[in-house]
Amino acid sequence: MSFFQMAKTVLSSMFKKPATLNYPVKPREYDPIVRGHIEIEIEKCIFCGMCQRKCPTGAIKVERAEKRWAIEPFDCIQCNNCAESCPKDCLHMHNTATPANENRDLIRDARISVDAEDNKDS
Ligand code: SF4
Ligand code: SF4
């Protein structure tokens, strides 16, 4: 690239909008259609296990006796099968990434679990 071509590129870039976002001051806005992560309305869940059976990667574990539903976020490929097969419509695909977690044990185990009885008490 010649000096004049480079100067032209630099000067034109000075008057253009930035190509990147000023993150985290300006967080990225995702389209509603983006498949980010699965969330559950645990109070509606009947622990039928349909989501576990339909999950192609085995990311979901349902323990009916303990009324426990758990997901391994790093195993999820965001296919939405579980949400589409849930008879109680309690699984939903959110358009943001899985929230960060400060608990090192949970990150290593990469498991989010929700206890229905705990939720009922709170
Ligand atoms: S399919 Fe729905 S109701 Fe059944 S265990 Fe999964 S989340 Fe609960
Ligand atoms: S979105 Fe797909 S991969 Fe992820 S938990 Fe649901 S069925 Fe499994």
Side-chain angles (χ1 to χ4, degrees), residues 16 56 87 97 103:
K16 283 182 187 166
N103 187 332

Side-chain angles (χ1 to χ4, degrees), residues 35 37-38 51-52 54-60 69 71-73 75-83 85 91 93:
R35 292 180 175 184
H37 71 281
I38 288 286
C51 52
Q52 178 179 314
K54 292 285 185 180
C55 179
T57 63
I60 294 178
W69 183 96
I71 186 168
E72 190 87 37
D75 285 350
C76 177
I77 56 171
Q78 287 87 28
C79 68
N80 208 40
N81 264 2
C82 53
S85 63
L91 293 175
M93 184 66 76

Side-chain angles (χ1 to χ4, degrees), residues 28-32 34-39 78 93-99:
R28 180 176 173 185
E29 288 178 14
Y30 294 92
D31 286 335
V34 168
R35 292 180 175 184
H37 71 281
I38 288 286
E39 284 196 5
Q78 287 87 28
M93 184 66 76
H94 287 241
N95 68 341
T96 56
T98 303

Side-chain angles (χ1 to χ4, degrees), residues 40 44-52 62 69 82 85-88 90-91:
I40 185 168
K44 287 165 69 177
C45 179
I46 56 173
F47 305 98
C48 64
M50 182 62 80
C51 52
Q52 178 179 314
V62 179
W69 183 96
C82 53
S85 63
C86 176
K88 302 304 278 185
C90 54
L91 293 175

